[in-house]
Amino acid sequence: YFDAMEVLYFDEMFDQRQPSQSLSSSLGSSSSSPEIRSDLPWNKTQISNQKNEHDQEPTMTTTKKSITHKLRHLTRQQRQNLKSKIQKRRKKLQKILSDPVVVMTMDKFSFVFGVLNIMIIELVLLVAPDRMGLLYTILLVPLMLARYIIYRADLYHYFMYDFCYFSQIMMLVHMYAYPENERLAKALFAISNGPLAMAVVLWRNSLVFHSMDKMTSMFIHVLPPVVTFCHRWEDHLLKKQFPFYEAFEESWTANIVDFWLNPFCYYVLWQTIYLFKTEIISKRKLRYNTEIMTSLRWLTRNPDSTSYKVLSAFGERNQLPTFVSIQAVYTMVTYLIVPLLWHSVWLHSAYLLGIFIVALMNV
């Protein structure tokens, strides 16, 4: 299904080409699709024969236009057939998924999966906090794979370019490539307990056990803070020693660099990659298919919503720079409390408990 949608996209772009393009360009475009090329009623030899048969024509312009017209006609016909097949299969799949038995089975599976995860996470937190990173990895891989498949089918897959998913990659890199890098550990502590944890409040994530989608969103935003909690307070958890506050061993300048400047640099890196992807690499694709959902499109889908009015404060054309600016300010603000969380296990615990309570109230 995904490959077919890409074929539709590129065929549509080809169909919009000017008919005055050269024969070599047209044939080059068609050769990128094996299905189209196999259906062509001619090949290079036949084209050469056709050329010899029409030597009496004054120019080759008419021949090129004729072949281009045939090629365009074939791609249009194939595209219609492909659309018809996809629509039939999609309706059949939607009918199966909307069956009450299937829906109930999926809800039961999600509920059992969610409850068991909460119990396992609590067990690891209390008994073996040093294994929380391993549990995180075991859960992350299947959940992200399932989310991509579902989001790709619903055209929501550009959500997976957001900062929270970038943070998951950073977490894996830290755990398995640079586990001794203290600067990276502190940066991830700030990212996980700053913008990721507060996203539960901002995006109204909720703890709904019978919804796999909601449970996955909770996992993305809540489990990284739990992993960093276990990494930071591992010795305290094992020794059962919980001092209310630990003195700052570093200077305030060092704390600003570790918990504000470095994490924000990672954010800027992600934002640069994201804009390069959406505004340069996939710009034509996003403009062509307006059903592909991004964070900005999601927030501005309703002209009467508060988010639309805020992002349009400087005009609809400036929604993107406004969105980027607001997101950057939000990220910097959420970093402010991080140094306090790093130096107090009680404050850190209370903070995560508050996030968990908000998720329960968002149901």
PDB file of all heavy atoms in Angstrom, residues 107-121 139 143 207-212 215-216:
ATOM      1  N   ASP A 107      -8.796  -3.933  21.991  1.00  0.00           N
ATOM      2  CA  ASP A 107      -8.889  -3.191  23.246  1.00  0.00           C
ATOM      3  C   ASP A 107      -8.427  -4.054  24.420  1.00  0.00           C
ATOM      4  O   ASP A 107      -7.731  -3.572  25.328  1.00  0.00           O
ATOM      5  CB  ASP A 107     -10.323  -2.710  23.469  1.00  0.00           C
ATOM      6  CG  ASP A 107     -10.701  -1.564  22.543  1.00  0.00           C
ATOM      7  OD1 ASP A 107      -9.779  -1.004  21.906  1.00  0.00           O
ATOM      8  OD2 ASP A 107     -11.889  -1.229  22.452  1.00  0.00           O
ATOM      9  N   LYS A 108      -8.821  -5.321  24.411  1.00  0.00           N
ATOM     10  CA  LYS A 108      -8.411  -6.228  25.490  1.00  0.00           C
ATOM     11  C   LYS A 108      -6.898  -6.419  25.491  1.00  0.00           C
ATOM     12  O   LYS A 108      -6.259  -6.394  26.544  1.00  0.00           O
ATOM     13  CB  LYS A 108      -9.105  -7.582  25.327  1.00  0.00           C
ATOM     14  CG  LYS A 108     -10.588  -7.572  25.689  1.00  0.00           C
ATOM     15  CD  LYS A 108     -11.184  -8.968  25.554  1.00  0.00           C
ATOM     16  CE  LYS A 108     -12.657  -8.980  25.959  1.00  0.00           C
ATOM     17  NZ  LYS A 108     -13.264 -10.327  25.809  1.00  0.00           N
ATOM     18  N   PHE A 109      -6.339  -6.609  24.299  1.00  0.00           N
ATOM     19  CA  PHE A 109      -4.886  -6.781  24.199  1.00  0.00           C
ATOM     20  C   PHE A 109      -4.162  -5.543  24.705  1.00  0.00           C
ATOM     21  O   PHE A 109      -3.188  -5.639  25.456  1.00  0.00           O
ATOM     22  CB  PHE A 109      -4.492  -7.075  22.753  1.00  0.00           C
ATOM     23  CG  PHE A 109      -3.009  -7.091  22.523  1.00  0.00           C
ATOM     24  CD1 PHE A 109      -2.244  -8.198  22.864  1.00  0.00           C
ATOM     25  CD2 PHE A 109      -2.367  -5.987  21.966  1.00  0.00           C
ATOM     26  CE1 PHE A 109      -0.878  -8.215  22.657  1.00  0.00           C
ATOM     27  CE2 PHE A 109      -1.000  -5.991  21.764  1.00  0.00           C
ATOM     28  CZ  PHE A 109      -0.253  -7.116  22.110  1.00  0.00           C
ATOM     29  N   SER A 110      -4.635  -4.367  24.301  1.00  0.00           N
ATOM     30  CA  SER A 110      -4.000  -3.118  24.723  1.00  0.00           C
ATOM     31  C   SER A 110      -4.114  -2.937  26.233  1.00  0.00           C
ATOM     32  O   SER A 110      -3.161  -2.499  26.888  1.00  0.00           O
ATOM     33  CB  SER A 110      -4.658  -1.941  23.995  1.00  0.00           C
ATOM     34  OG  SER A 110      -4.110  -0.720  24.431  1.00  0.00           O
ATOM     35  N   PHE A 111      -5.278  -3.281  26.813  1.00  0.00           N
ATOM     36  CA  PHE A 111      -5.480  -3.130  28.257  1.00  0.00           C
ATOM     37  C   PHE A 111      -4.526  -4.036  29.035  1.00  0.00           C
ATOM     38  O   PHE A 111      -3.858  -3.590  29.981  1.00  0.00           O
ATOM     39  CB  PHE A 111      -6.928  -3.454  28.610  1.00  0.00           C
ATOM     40  CG  PHE A 111      -7.264  -3.219  30.053  1.00  0.00           C
ATOM     41  CD1 PHE A 111      -7.665  -1.967  30.483  1.00  0.00           C
ATOM     42  CD2 PHE A 111      -7.175  -4.245  30.978  1.00  0.00           C
ATOM     43  CE1 PHE A 111      -7.975  -1.734  31.817  1.00  0.00           C
ATOM     44  CE2 PHE A 111      -7.481  -4.026  32.308  1.00  0.00           C
ATOM     45  CZ  PHE A 111      -7.871  -2.774  32.733  1.00  0.00           C
ATOM     46  N   VAL A 112      -4.453  -5.294  28.629  1.00  0.00           N
ATOM     47  CA  VAL A 112      -3.567  -6.242  29.313  1.00  0.00           C
ATOM     48  C   VAL A 112      -2.115  -5.803  29.161  1.00  0.00           C
ATOM     49  O   VAL A 112      -1.340  -5.831  30.126  1.00  0.00           O
ATOM     50  CB  VAL A 112      -3.766  -7.671  28.748  1.00  0.00           C
ATOM     51  CG1 VAL A 112      -2.723  -8.624  29.325  1.00  0.00           C
ATOM     52  CG2 VAL A 112      -5.170  -8.168  29.052  1.00  0.00           C
ATOM     53  N   PHE A 113      -1.751  -5.379  27.950  1.00  0.00           N
ATOM     54  CA  PHE A 113      -0.379  -4.935  27.686  1.00  0.00           C
ATOM     55  C   PHE A 113      -0.022  -3.728  28.546  1.00  0.00           C
ATOM     56  O   PHE A 113       1.066  -3.649  29.133  1.00  0.00           O
ATOM     57  CB  PHE A 113      -0.241  -4.606  26.199  1.00  0.00           C
ATOM     58  CG  PHE A 113       1.119  -4.107  25.802  1.00  0.00           C
ATOM     59  CD1 PHE A 113       2.164  -4.996  25.615  1.00  0.00           C
ATOM     60  CD2 PHE A 113       1.354  -2.750  25.614  1.00  0.00           C
ATOM     61  CE1 PHE A 113       3.426  -4.537  25.246  1.00  0.00           C
ATOM     62  CE2 PHE A 113       2.603  -2.285  25.251  1.00  0.00           C
ATOM     63  CZ  PHE A 113       3.646  -3.189  25.065  1.00  0.00           C
ATOM     64  N   GLY A 114      -0.943  -2.770  28.652  1.00  0.00           N
ATOM     65  CA  GLY A 114      -0.682  -1.566  29.427  1.00  0.00           C
ATOM     66  C   GLY A 114      -0.544  -1.841  30.914  1.00  0.00           C
ATOM     67  O   GLY A 114       0.377  -1.336  31.573  1.00  0.00           O
ATOM     68  N   VAL A 115      -1.443  -2.652  31.472  1.00  0.00           N
ATOM     69  CA  VAL A 115      -1.393  -2.968  32.903  1.00  0.00           C
ATOM     70  C   VAL A 115      -0.127  -3.754  33.245  1.00  0.00           C
ATOM     71  O   VAL A 115       0.551  -3.473  34.236  1.00  0.00           O
ATOM     72  CB  VAL A 115      -2.647  -3.754  33.321  1.00  0.00           C
ATOM     73  CG1 VAL A 115      -2.522  -4.229  34.772  1.00  0.00           C
ATOM     74  CG2 VAL A 115      -3.897  -2.899  33.158  1.00  0.00           C
ATOM     75  N   LEU A 116       0.210  -4.745  32.414  1.00  0.00           N
ATOM     76  CA  LEU A 116       1.419  -5.526  32.658  1.00  0.00           C
ATOM     77  C   LEU A 116       2.663  -4.651  32.598  1.00  0.00           C
ATOM     78  O   LEU A 116       3.606  -4.826  33.391  1.00  0.00           O
ATOM     79  CB  LEU A 116       1.528  -6.663  31.636  1.00  0.00           C
ATOM     80  CG  LEU A 116       0.577  -7.850  31.838  1.00  0.00           C
ATOM     81  CD1 LEU A 116       0.755  -8.868  30.715  1.00  0.00           C
ATOM     82  CD2 LEU A 116       0.812  -8.516  33.188  1.00  0.00           C
ATOM     83  N   ASN A 117       2.686  -3.702  31.673  1.00  0.00           N
ATOM     84  CA  ASN A 117       3.841  -2.802  31.564  1.00  0.00           C
ATOM     85  C   ASN A 117       4.011  -1.959  32.819  1.00  0.00           C
ATOM     86  O   ASN A 117       5.131  -1.756  33.301  1.00  0.00           O
ATOM     87  CB  ASN A 117       3.696  -1.894  30.342  1.00  0.00           C
ATOM     88  CG  ASN A 117       4.258  -2.529  29.090  1.00  0.00           C
ATOM     89  OD1 ASN A 117       5.190  -3.321  29.154  1.00  0.00           O
ATOM     90  ND2 ASN A 117       3.687  -2.202  27.949  1.00  0.00           N
ATOM     91  N   ILE A 118       2.912  -1.440  33.350  1.00  0.00           N
ATOM     92  CA  ILE A 118       2.985  -0.646  34.573  1.00  0.00           C
ATOM     93  C   ILE A 118       3.562  -1.486  35.717  1.00  0.00           C
ATOM     94  O   ILE A 118       4.428  -1.029  36.489  1.00  0.00           O
ATOM     95  CB  ILE A 118       1.589  -0.115  34.961  1.00  0.00           C
ATOM     96  CG1 ILE A 118       1.106   0.900  33.923  1.00  0.00           C
ATOM     97  CG2 ILE A 118       1.622   0.531  36.340  1.00  0.00           C
ATOM     98  CD1 ILE A 118       1.926   2.161  33.841  1.00  0.00           C
ATOM     99  N   MET A 119       3.111  -2.736  35.824  1.00  0.00           N
ATOM    100  CA  MET A 119       3.591  -3.607  36.889  1.00  0.00           C
ATOM    101  C   MET A 119       5.074  -3.944  36.714  1.00  0.00           C
ATOM    102  O   MET A 119       5.846  -3.937  37.672  1.00  0.00           O
ATOM    103  CB  MET A 119       2.753  -4.894  36.911  1.00  0.00           C
ATOM    104  CG  MET A 119       1.287  -4.668  37.243  1.00  0.00           C
ATOM    105  SD  MET A 119       0.282  -6.166  37.062  1.00  0.00           S
ATOM    106  CE  MET A 119       1.021  -7.214  38.306  1.00  0.00           C
ATOM    107  N   ILE A 120       5.471  -4.229  35.475  1.00  0.00           N
ATOM    108  CA  ILE A 120       6.872  -4.581  35.210  1.00  0.00           C
ATOM    109  C   ILE A 120       7.786  -3.378  35.458  1.00  0.00           C
ATOM    110  O   ILE A 120       8.874  -3.507  36.030  1.00  0.00           O
ATOM    111  CB  ILE A 120       7.020  -5.110  33.775  1.00  0.00           C
ATOM    112  CG1 ILE A 120       6.275  -6.438  33.622  1.00  0.00           C
ATOM    113  CG2 ILE A 120       8.498  -5.297  33.421  1.00  0.00           C
ATOM    114  CD1 ILE A 120       6.212  -6.934  32.188  1.00  0.00           C
ATOM    115  N   ILE A 121       7.350  -2.202  35.015  1.00  0.00           N
ATOM    116  CA  ILE A 121       8.148  -0.986  35.223  1.00  0.00           C
ATOM    117  C   ILE A 121       8.326  -0.724  36.720  1.00  0.00           C
ATOM    118  O   ILE A 121       9.427  -0.382  37.188  1.00  0.00           O
ATOM    119  CB  ILE A 121       7.482   0.217  34.533  1.00  0.00           C
ATOM    120  CG1 ILE A 121       7.586   0.074  33.014  1.00  0.00           C
ATOM    121  CG2 ILE A 121       8.130   1.528  34.980  1.00  0.00           C
ATOM    122  CD1 ILE A 121       6.796   1.107  32.245  1.00  0.00           C
ATOM    123  N   LEU A 139      10.801  -2.487  24.993  1.00  0.00           N
ATOM    124  CA  LEU A 139       9.472  -1.950  24.700  1.00  0.00           C
ATOM    125  C   LEU A 139       9.484  -0.996  23.509  1.00  0.00           C
ATOM    126  O   LEU A 139       8.518  -0.930  22.740  1.00  0.00           O
ATOM    127  CB  LEU A 139       8.918  -1.225  25.928  1.00  0.00           C
ATOM    128  CG  LEU A 139       8.605  -2.095  27.150  1.00  0.00           C
ATOM    129  CD1 LEU A 139       8.196  -1.213  28.319  1.00  0.00           C
ATOM    130  CD2 LEU A 139       7.519  -3.104  26.842  1.00  0.00           C
ATOM    131  N   LEU A 143       6.960  -1.064  19.776  1.00  0.00           N
ATOM    132  CA  LEU A 143       5.989   0.027  19.808  1.00  0.00           C
ATOM    133  C   LEU A 143       6.228   1.022  18.672  1.00  0.00           C
ATOM    134  O   LEU A 143       5.279   1.496  18.043  1.00  0.00           O
ATOM    135  CB  LEU A 143       6.052   0.743  21.157  1.00  0.00           C
ATOM    136  CG  LEU A 143       5.425   0.007  22.340  1.00  0.00           C
ATOM    137  CD1 LEU A 143       5.637   0.805  23.624  1.00  0.00           C
ATOM    138  CD2 LEU A 143       3.941  -0.251  22.122  1.00  0.00           C
ATOM    139  N   LEU A 207      -3.428   8.389  30.175  1.00  0.00           N
ATOM    140  CA  LEU A 207      -3.145   6.993  30.481  1.00  0.00           C
ATOM    141  C   LEU A 207      -4.434   6.193  30.295  1.00  0.00           C
ATOM    142  O   LEU A 207      -5.235   6.030  31.221  1.00  0.00           O
ATOM    143  CB  LEU A 207      -2.625   6.861  31.912  1.00  0.00           C
ATOM    144  CG  LEU A 207      -2.045   5.504  32.306  1.00  0.00           C
ATOM    145  CD1 LEU A 207      -0.810   5.178  31.472  1.00  0.00           C
ATOM    146  CD2 LEU A 207      -1.695   5.492  33.792  1.00  0.00           C
ATOM    147  N   VAL A 208      -4.660   5.703  29.091  1.00  0.00           N
ATOM    148  CA  VAL A 208      -5.848   4.924  28.754  1.00  0.00           C
ATOM    149  C   VAL A 208      -5.376   3.528  28.353  1.00  0.00           C
ATOM    150  O   VAL A 208      -4.830   3.332  27.264  1.00  0.00           O
ATOM    151  CB  VAL A 208      -6.646   5.575  27.605  1.00  0.00           C
ATOM    152  CG1 VAL A 208      -7.889   4.752  27.290  1.00  0.00           C
ATOM    153  CG2 VAL A 208      -7.026   7.001  27.963  1.00  0.00           C
ATOM    154  N   PHE A 209      -5.592   2.556  29.211  1.00  0.00           N
ATOM    155  CA  PHE A 209      -5.019   1.234  29.010  1.00  0.00           C
ATOM    156  C   PHE A 209      -5.588   0.511  27.786  1.00  0.00           C
ATOM    157  O   PHE A 209      -4.908  -0.307  27.172  1.00  0.00           O
ATOM    158  CB  PHE A 209      -5.228   0.364  30.253  1.00  0.00           C
ATOM    159  CG  PHE A 209      -4.408   0.799  31.430  1.00  0.00           C
ATOM    160  CD1 PHE A 209      -5.013   1.315  32.569  1.00  0.00           C
ATOM    161  CD2 PHE A 209      -3.026   0.713  31.402  1.00  0.00           C
ATOM    162  CE1 PHE A 209      -4.261   1.717  33.653  1.00  0.00           C
ATOM    163  CE2 PHE A 209      -2.268   1.122  32.487  1.00  0.00           C
ATOM    164  CZ  PHE A 209      -2.882   1.624  33.610  1.00  0.00           C
ATOM    165  N   HIS A 210      -6.829   0.797  27.430  1.00  0.00           N
ATOM    166  CA  HIS A 210      -7.419   0.076  26.303  1.00  0.00           C
ATOM    167  C   HIS A 210      -7.139   0.734  24.952  1.00  0.00           C
ATOM    168  O   HIS A 210      -7.681   0.312  23.933  1.00  0.00           O
ATOM    169  CB  HIS A 210      -8.940  -0.068  26.503  1.00  0.00           C
ATOM    170  CG  HIS A 210      -9.668   1.248  26.557  1.00  0.00           C
ATOM    171  ND1 HIS A 210      -9.932   1.887  27.749  1.00  0.00           N
ATOM    172  CD2 HIS A 210     -10.172   2.040  25.592  1.00  0.00           C
ATOM    173  CE1 HIS A 210     -10.579   3.012  27.500  1.00  0.00           C
ATOM    174  NE2 HIS A 210     -10.736   3.128  26.202  1.00  0.00           N
ATOM    175  N   SER A 211      -6.286   1.755  24.929  1.00  0.00           N
ATOM    176  CA  SER A 211      -5.906   2.410  23.676  1.00  0.00           C
ATOM    177  C   SER A 211      -4.401   2.280  23.465  1.00  0.00           C
ATOM    178  O   SER A 211      -3.617   2.897  24.193  1.00  0.00           O
ATOM    179  CB  SER A 211      -6.302   3.896  23.699  1.00  0.00           C
ATOM    180  OG  SER A 211      -5.795   4.564  22.557  1.00  0.00           O
ATOM    181  N   MET A 212      -4.020   1.481  22.492  1.00  0.00           N
ATOM    182  CA  MET A 212      -2.597   1.287  22.221  1.00  0.00           C
ATOM    183  C   MET A 212      -1.941   2.584  21.767  1.00  0.00           C
ATOM    184  O   MET A 212      -0.782   2.863  22.101  1.00  0.00           O
ATOM    185  CB  MET A 212      -2.417   0.202  21.159  1.00  0.00           C
ATOM    186  CG  MET A 212      -0.962  -0.133  20.837  1.00  0.00           C
ATOM    187  SD  MET A 212      -0.059  -0.760  22.284  1.00  0.00           S
ATOM    188  CE  MET A 212      -0.819  -2.384  22.442  1.00  0.00           C
ATOM    189  N   MET A 215      -1.373   4.729  24.881  1.00  0.00           N
ATOM    190  CA  MET A 215      -0.340   4.129  25.717  1.00  0.00           C
ATOM    191  C   MET A 215       1.048   4.315  25.099  1.00  0.00           C
ATOM    192  O   MET A 215       2.034   4.534  25.804  1.00  0.00           O
ATOM    193  CB  MET A 215      -0.633   2.642  25.925  1.00  0.00           C
ATOM    194  CG  MET A 215      -1.803   2.363  26.845  1.00  0.00           C
ATOM    195  SD  MET A 215      -1.564   3.033  28.502  1.00  0.00           S
ATOM    196  CE  MET A 215      -0.152   2.083  29.071  1.00  0.00           C
ATOM    197  N   THR A 216       1.126   4.243  23.776  1.00  0.00           N
ATOM    198  CA  THR A 216       2.404   4.468  23.095  1.00  0.00           C
ATOM    199  C   THR A 216       2.871   5.904  23.283  1.00  0.00           C
ATOM    200  O   THR A 216       4.058   6.161  23.524  1.00  0.00           O
ATOM    201  CB  THR A 216       2.282   4.144  21.598  1.00  0.00           C
ATOM    202  OG1 THR A 216       1.842   2.783  21.431  1.00  0.00           O
ATOM    203  CG2 THR A 216       3.610   4.327  20.887  1.00  0.00           C
TER     204      THR A 216
END
